[in-house]
Amino acid sequence: RILYLSFIIMQRGRRSPATILRQLLLVSRTPLFSNNKNCAPKKLYAANPLPLFEDENDGKTKTEWKKRRQTTADELKPPTTNTNTNQQFSMLTDTFNRHHDYLRISLTERCNLRCLYCMPEDGIDLAPKDDLLTTEEIERLVKLFAKEGGVRKVRLTGGEPTVRKDLTDIVERISRIDGIEHVAMTTNGVALKSKLDALKRNGLKSINVSLDSLVKAKFEFMTRRDGLEKVLKSIDEAIRIGIETVKVNVVVVRGQNDDELLDFVQFAKEKPVNVRFIEYMPFNGNKWETRKMVTYAEMFDTIQKKYPSIARIPDETKSEVGKNFQIDDFQGTVSFVTSMTNHFCGGCNRLRILADGNLKVCLFGNAEVSLRDAMRVDNASDDDLKAIVEGAVKRKKAKHAGMENLAFMENRSMIRIGG
């Protein structure tokens, strides 16, 4: 921490006093070593009597907990993974020994909402329909990623995937591919309810519904559209018909919906859903600022004051994105996605194929390679595609650039990447 603060002071000649002060405040609120996803924010040690580690009631003292936060030689090594799996599916194993078995596919750049953090205020130039991957191309790529790369889970995103007319057909084709064990979808829920039965019958197992406000007027302000009641009915319908997992994604923005934290926690108390609070992230056109971001530590403190029984749920895998918590007498759970203050790059197992066919190996990276052009222009064989994908994965960096740099990096808007 001292070294980092010293570095900031050294930048005085190139940065304004306001920027320096903002960075100092930011550092004071974040974990000492943010690459350790199992660590609680530093400020919680004094305020929170509940351990936030997986071995939660192991009797460790606070001193022992702090020792666990020290960077060790083991933490600097690549994450321990199944070596046999990595060798068998080397196409999707990077130079840091991370195997990527989770593929996210954006089906379209179009959306029926205009969320402030996702869609630039002046809109975007959408890719022509002919530039998007066809149903057959999507199926071919998933087969390749499953057979040669060991992909087991596929998530369909957008834009808004429900605006694509062949959505049900895509879900059915993917769910029948050998090796694919789980098909999921991220949606805003506005047009979802009438499609749920068919999607479930054809293999959809879980959904994430993006919902940033439970207040009608605020929902309309944040999305620039009406539709809150439709979203809530879609969530209820998904629960009713037995969708295996229903999650609610809440991007928390200071001054917009941070006053609804406890309302969303109450939502998880009344319904068997996982409410996920997501730190506000910088993307092209969303006017990201540090002051707009509500940190994991701040959100947790607010919730813990109201619900002191909140307790950490052990991670099922090392690639778990959310820090998951349960609260006594709740039907559902709450989670925090801490991309900004406590990144989880070390266990990343995700790759993205964008609607226009570009492969993106990191959400915050700007390096992309076109699989569509390889198939259409170069008439690439599966072996050719395998080589292209493997080359991109091997170039993946150990972690993203960090929040101060991300805000100034060129990247697509969120709607063109896919949630």
Side-chain angles (χ1 to χ4, degrees):
R1 185 181 297 274
I2 292 173
L3 288 173
Y4 187 74
L5 294 178
S6 299
F7 172 77
I8 292 175
I9 293 172
M10 290 170 60
Q11 303 301 306
R12 226 185 256 178
R14 289 185 291 166
R15 300 190 181 185
S16 69
T19 299
I20 295 172
L21 178 60
R22 187 163 62 246
Q23 290 181 317
L24 290 171
L25 291 172
L26 183 62
V27 171
S28 71
R29 299 185 65 85
T30 56
L32 185 57
F33 295 105
S34 62
N35 65 331
N36 188 345
K37 70 189 286 287
N38 291 319
C39 289
K42 184 179 181 182
K43 62 182 290 187
L44 296 185
Y45 283 113
N48 180 19
L50 297 173
L52 298 185
F53 298 111
E54 294 182 9
D55 48 347
E56 148 168 359
N57 293 311
D58 61 1
K60 291 185 181 294
T61 65
K62 288 183 180 180
T63 301
E64 290 173 313
W65 291 349
K66 290 179 180 179
K67 286 181 180 178
R68 290 179 59 176
R69 301 188 65 186
Q70 296 175 359
T71 302
T72 64
D74 289 339
E75 286 178 314
L76 298 176
K77 294 177 181 178
T80 302
T81 53
N82 188 321
T83 304
N84 292 333
T85 299
N86 291 355
Q87 291 175 349
Q88 181 183 359
F89 300 117
S90 62
M91 179 180 97
L92 299 186
T93 301
D94 67 17
T95 57
F96 302 95
N97 207 30
R98 296 174 296 196
H99 178 64
H100 301 77
D101 59 0
Y102 180 8
L103 181 63
R104 302 172 70 99
I105 304 174
S106 176
L107 300 182
T108 178
E109 295 177 354
R110 299 182 181 277
C111 187
N112 44 12
L113 297 181
R114 296 291 184 272
C115 298
L116 296 174
Y117 59 82
C118 185
M119 173 79 80
E121 187 174 359
D122 53 355
I124 63 169
D125 293 326
L126 297 173
K129 183 178 179 180
D130 290 343
D131 286 354
L132 305 184
L133 291 178
T134 65
T135 307
E136 292 73 20
E137 288 170 335
I138 292 171
E139 182 180 20
R140 178 187 176 186
L141 289 174
V142 176
K143 284 181 178 179
L144 177 71
F145 276 70
K147 180 181 178 181
E148 303 293 342
V151 162
R152 297 291 174 259
K153 179 177 179 179
V154 174
R155 177 175 296 278
L156 304 176
T157 69
E160 171 51 37
T162 59
V163 305
R164 186 151 169 165
K165 295 180 180 179
D166 56 350
L167 173 62
T168 303
D169 184 30
I170 292 174
V171 169
E172 180 182 17
R173 292 186 186 214
I174 292 175
S175 65
R176 290 182 176 180
I177 293 173
D178 288 342
I180 299 300
E181 300 170 356
H182 192 104
V183 181
M185 182 172 73
T186 297
T187 170
N188 61 36
V190 172
L192 177 64
K193 182 181 176 183
S194 62
K195 298 176 173 63
L196 273 169
D197 269 326
L199 290 170
K200 182 173 183 282
R201 284 197 310 271
N202 286 282
L204 185 71
K205 291 190 175 182
S206 64
I207 60 169
N208 287 29
V209 180
S210 300
L211 176 61
D212 300 318
S213 180
L214 296 170
V215 179
K216 187 176 187 297
K218 195 184 296 184
F219 178 93
E220 293 180 13
F221 169 75
M222 295 187 71
T223 66
R224 304 186 184 108
R225 295 290 187 275
D226 191 6
L228 176 60
E229 289 302 318
K230 293 179 180 179
V231 178
L232 295 175
K233 288 179 180 178
S234 291
I235 293 173
D236 289 340
E237 181 68 7
I239 295 169
R240 187 190 71 79
I241 69 173
I243 295 291
E244 289 183 14
T245 305
V246 180
K247 297 182 180 181
V248 177
N249 291 346
V250 186
V251 177
V252 182
V253 183
R254 191 180 308 280
Q256 293 184 17
N257 62 348
D258 55 320
D259 60 335
E260 293 188 65
L261 281 172
L262 296 179
D263 295 332
F264 275 106
V265 174
Q266 181 68 25
F267 194 80
K269 181 177 184 179
E270 298 170 355
K271 300 180 187 293
V273 300
N274 172 234
V275 173
R276 299 172 11 126
F277 297 110
I278 302 172
E279 290 179 337
Y280 184 41
M281 297 176 280
F283 291 99
N284 187 47
N286 72 355
K287 299 180 181 179
W288 186 88
E289 298 177 50
T290 304
R291 65 182 179 84
K292 291 182 181 179
M293 186 187 66
V294 184
T295 66
Y296 159 42
E298 186 176 347
M299 290 188 279
F300 185 90
D301 277 359
T302 298
I303 295 170
Q304 191 204 27
K305 288 175 183 177
K306 175 73 173 181
Y307 299 100
S309 68
I310 187 170
R312 181 75 179 265
I313 301 172
D315 293 341
E316 294 182 1
T317 66
K318 292 183 178 181
S319 57
E320 179 64 49
V321 166
K323 294 173 175 60
N324 306 309
F325 292 82
Q326 60 189 5
I327 303 176
D328 290 349
D329 302 320
F330 270 51
Q331 293 189 57
T333 56
V334 296
S335 301
F336 303 89
V337 179
T338 61
S339 303
M340 294 290 94
T341 63
N342 197 218
H343 72 73
F344 31 83
C345 300
C348 183
N349 69 334
R350 295 157 179 78
L351 299 173
R352 285 174 164 78
I353 296 179
L354 311 187
D356 61 7
N358 277 16
L359 174 66
K360 194 176 182 72
V361 297
C362 175
L363 173 62
F364 297 108
N366 49 24
E368 301 176 3
V369 59
S370 178
L371 302 181
R372 180 202 64 199
D373 289 351
M375 291 186 288
R376 295 184 188 179
V377 179
D378 300 329
N379 196 27
S381 65
D382 282 357
D383 286 341
D384 294 333
L385 289 174
K386 179 180 177 181
I388 294 170
V389 172
E390 184 168 4
V393 171
K394 293 293 189 287
R395 292 190 293 271
K396 183 171 181 176
K397 297 180 180 179
K399 60 182 180 178
H400 64 63
M403 95 175 70
E404 283 299 318
N405 293 320
L406 286 175
F408 301 101
M409 287 178 60
E410 183 66 26
N411 198 359
R412 298 193 186 210
S413 58
M414 192 66 205
I415 194 169
R416 297 195 65 207
I417 296 174

